[in-house]
Amino acid sequence: MTRFQNGSRLLSYTFFRSKTTSPVSPTIALIQGNFQIQHSRHFSNLARATTKEEKEPWWKDSMERLRNIGISAHIDSGKTTLTERILYYTGRIHEIHEVRGRDGVGAKMDSMDLEREKGITIQSAATYCTWNGYQVNIIDTPGHVDFTIEVERALRVLDGAILVLCSVGGVQSQSITVDRQMRRYEVPRLAFINKLDRMGADPWKVLNQARSKLRHHSAAVQVPIGLEDDFQGLIDLVKMKAYYFHGSNGEKIVTEEIPVEMEALVTEKRRELIETVSEVDDKLADVFLADEPISTSDLEEAIRRATIAKKFVPVFMGSAFKNKGVQPLLDGVLSFLPCPPEVNNFALDQTKGEEKVVLSGTPDGPLVALAFKLEEGRFGQLTYLRIYEGVIRKGDFIVNVNTGKKIKVGFGHIIFVVSMETIKRAHAGQIVAVFGVDCASGDTFTDGSVRYTMTSMNVPEPVMSLAIQPVSKDSGGQFSKALNRFQKEDPTFRVGLDPESAQTIISGMGELHLDIYVERIRREYKVDASVGKPRVNFRETITQRAEFDYLHKKQTGGQGQYGRVCGYIEPIPEGSMTKFEFDNMIVGQVIPSNFIPAIEKGFKEAANSGSLIGHPVENLRIALTDGAAHAVDSSELAFKLAAIYAFRQCYTAAKPVILEPVMLVELKVPTEFQGTVAGDINKRKGLIVGNDQDGDDSIITAHVPLNNMFGYSTALRSMTQGKGEFTMEYKEHSPVSQDVQMQLVNTYKASKAAE
């Protein structure tokens, strides 16, 4: 039984989807059970209950007891295993399954078949749990660099995060990337050094790496009792107690005094912790400098203040796999990470030229919610929303600020990855999911009273493309459906059509990223697709003026064909907006005016395929100065063919050249790899135009031909030990060198001869 503030007794139960409910009616889904559906005859009275005595408690207490956290790390640091243990200890699941489970079940958070098989987390699964009366929403994020958009979307909506580090591997390349993202979105964080049971575990080495490589102002809040096979428990440096984990799954925590042989080390580490926090917290510094004894509560409050201000990173330790140290980490989440009102969030006011507005973060203001993730669920599209301000209730109308569409919110579901639980209203600070709302990732929803948008997320540009087509022509419908769904779910996955080769081109963040999508098309939509390398879109152009005078004459009994065109072709000056110009300079009626459009069409068609390598010709001006027509034999077809042959006749005389797409490439690499990377760009015929320093990183800007950029993401990773990242965008088409032109022409001729 549940008691509401006004004293009415309510029955708590879960709605199940009724058969009459339309699968596309928008529905609220909460990724936590902060308000399990509460229903009674008095609900109509409760909905109106905005009296002063209810107003304060109904959200204040629940928001202070709410934490939105993410778990991020390098691949294989044990994030999913850690989440699995958290769900077990908080009673959300009743048995533990390993990631590459021998029992064939797989971890709870890895809900896709592909994830369980490969043992990696692809999408950010989301769930909630309750610990010591607090609500904790957890987003489990992928660790592989190809899925950074998932990590960025999760961090965008979180109030705090846990950075998992491996006690053997230490700070690895992806740990640096993830930490950079956390810094970009100003997320307060805890560090958790995992796998202390492994051979070669050294948490102090990892702590020093975090300070040097990640520039963390951090200190340990725990000391392990033994390492590797001797790892038995932890000593809490704040409370000065030793914890041992007993029971088959480490669920029984035994608190004891600190072992005598460890007292010296513990005293030293506690002093180090107090000194580190004092450097960034004035209140603790005053007590420390006055040489007064520091109480547990003083130290705990100081760590919380410094962590929320993003000036300090407390370091926890343990082994998720061996069920040790997870419960103290949960206590740390409650003690040191912020609740929603303690985090400053900004919106952009569209009515005032995107002026920055600070959101109150309370349910009292107008509704502002961000759609940060889309998923195709069993009942249609599922949209994950983070509510930054206001309340969303069943029956409310919400407005998509980006499109202006008004949507009614219907019957609700709360999602626990694959099982469903439901709710009636949600308020600021919570993460909800809505069914049947057609929107894109990054759209903002309000109640219509304000036109705010949340700052758009930083979506990296795709860096790799592949040509893809279904093996069977019958599966085209399912194939298109799959590509449309993946584009909506993932902003870094792009689909385009190459008009020249008529191939479908998919672009993404790397080979693994695209391989996973090709595999998902096969598994989820039962479509086998063949994958190839797309050809680069070259262009051709002319470099000088050339005259043409061509007569097309054909007599085959009955009406013949007759058309004569005279004039010249010339290159359009640089900087012109048009790529093809047709100028009719004929005076009088030597060619009847009704044939002129056919002549223009003929030239356009001819320019679609140049004679060098069969690619389109651009920056071309055609002037028609003279011609001749026949009273009977002239026709639109005759003049169109005359134009096509006239173009081919004079094209070679205009000295054509091949243009290739040149990309503006921006690289961010650690300074020690700068020379190797710059040398490689020169080898790829790139031109380095800028080189700046950003902390320990070098930012190199270069113009590189796209044809030389294939496989670059893999090459860059191997050159920089996975620490380099790059973005690439189209800059211009520019002429290729003479040797490359000869090579391309010969290849084209050979392929034509083979046909």
Side-chain angles (χ1 to χ4, degrees), residues 270-271 274 283-295 298:
R270 182 180 163 93
R271 186 173 176 82
I274 293 168
K283 211 169 169 185
L284 188 70
D286 294 342
V287 181
F288 178 63
L289 293 170
D291 238 1
E292 292 171 19
I294 292 169
S295 69
D298 284 349

Side-chain angles (χ1 to χ4, degrees), residues 350-586:
Q350 296 302 315
T351 58
K352 295 181 182 172
E354 298 217 333
E355 190 182 296
K356 260 192 173 185
V357 184
V358 182
L359 298 175
S360 67
T362 67
D364 291 341
L367 173 71
V368 179
L370 173 77
F372 69 95
K373 183 173 164 64
L374 310 177
E375 232 175 63
E376 196 73 21
R378 282 182 254 174
F379 306 112
Q381 183 178 301
L382 185 66
T383 307
Y384 286 79
L385 297 177
R386 158 73 201 260
I387 306 175
Y388 287 97
E389 193 171 88
V391 180
I392 189 168
R393 291 183 190 85
K394 178 187 164 188
D396 282 358
F397 280 95
I398 57 173
V399 176
N400 183 336
V401 179
N402 301 58
T403 62
K405 279 185 187 169
K406 204 172 187 184
I407 298 147
K408 187 176 181 183
V409 176
F411 189 76
H413 289 89
I414 300 177
I415 308 309
F416 172 47
V417 191
V418 286
S419 25
M420 300 214 168
E421 296 165 25
T422 55
I423 197 146
K424 204 140 217 153
R425 72 168 171 189
H427 60 66
Q430 294 183 318
I431 293 175
V432 304
V434 187
F435 271 126
V437 172
D438 189 27
C439 69
S441 185
D443 284 358
T444 306
F445 289 92
T446 68
D447 55 9
S449 62
V450 289
R451 287 202 67 227
Y452 291 169
T453 57
M454 298 308 295
T455 44
S456 62
M457 288 183 291
N458 184 41
V459 176
E461 285 297 309
V463 293
M464 179 165 273
S465 304
L466 286 175
I468 184 172
Q469 61 188 60
V471 174
S472 152
K473 286 187 178 168
D474 303 339
S475 50
Q478 284 291 85
F479 180 68
S480 307
K481 202 171 158 189
L483 294 182
N484 287 340
R485 173 188 155 187
F486 297 150
Q487 276 186 98
K488 269 191 165 182
E489 278 183 20
D490 183 353
T492 57
F493 179 73
R494 312 273 172 90
V495 179
L497 189 72
D498 184 339
E500 290 147 35
S501 61
Q503 288 174 308
T504 303
I505 307 289
I506 57 171
S507 310
M509 297 312 295
E511 282 155 289
L512 178 62
H513 189 207
L514 295 176
D515 285 350
I516 292 280
Y517 277 117
V518 172
E519 188 69 6
R520 281 184 68 189
I521 290 171
R522 193 173 68 77
R523 294 209 174 193
E524 293 172 36
Y525 289 88
K526 308 286 184 285
V527 175
D528 276 323
S530 61
V531 176
K533 176 184 164 184
R535 66 176 190 164
V536 171
N537 297 332
F538 291 103
R539 295 283 180 270
E540 298 181 26
T541 192
I542 55 171
T543 54
Q544 65 181 41
R545 175 172 159 157
E547 309 280 337
F548 62 83
D549 181 349
Y550 187 82
L551 171 64
H552 175 65
K553 189 174 172 186
K554 200 172 183 187
Q555 195 67 43
T556 50
Q559 189 184 351
Q561 291 179 10
Y562 185 96
R564 182 181 172 207
V565 288
C566 306
Y568 59 88
I569 61 173
E570 64 181 4
I572 295 177
E574 271 185 39
S576 168
M577 296 304 287
T578 54
K579 294 190 173 177
F580 177 90
E581 283 179 18
F582 177 77
D583 206 350
N584 178 16
M585 297 168 74
I586 293 177

